[in-house]
Amino acid sequence: MFVESQSVPELAQRGEQLVKEFTAPIAASLDRLSGDEKRDKVTTQLNSTAIFGALAFLYQHWLTGNSRISKAE
């Protein structure tokens, strides 16, 4: 959904909004897991974007049946 939206100009802006909506809870979780340490906001945002990208990549492979992880798992 996110990768395909980038190829259509009309959907690209909405795709970017959705990425921000999905990465916000990931960033919040990373901040919470860090304990008392103050995390660098840029590092947290980059890490949340990387986690989101990895999940999106894996999900595409899972949907097409090209994943090494079975659908049952």
Side-chain angles (χ1 to χ4, degrees):
M1 171 172 71
F2 300 101
V3 174
E4 291 173 2
S5 69
Q6 296 301 311
S7 65
V8 179
E10 294 79 19
L11 297 177
Q13 185 177 8
R14 179 62 181 145
E16 289 176 21
Q17 290 171 340
L18 289 172
V19 169
K20 288 177 185 176
E21 289 178 23
F22 274 80
T23 57
I26 297 170
S29 295
L30 291 173
D31 282 338
R32 187 175 186 139
L33 290 172
S34 70
D36 295 328
E37 301 172 23
K38 289 289 183 188
R39 293 182 67 100
D40 177 9
K41 291 293 181 190
V42 173
T43 300
T44 299
Q45 200 57 35
L46 289 172
N47 285 334
S48 64
T49 302
I51 291 168
F52 171 80
L55 290 172
F57 179 79
L58 291 172
Y59 187 64
Q60 281 185 320
H61 282 281
W62 181 78
L63 280 177
T64 60
N66 294 327
S67 176
R68 291 184 219 161
I69 302 168
S70 71
K71 290 188 178 187
E73 290 179 80

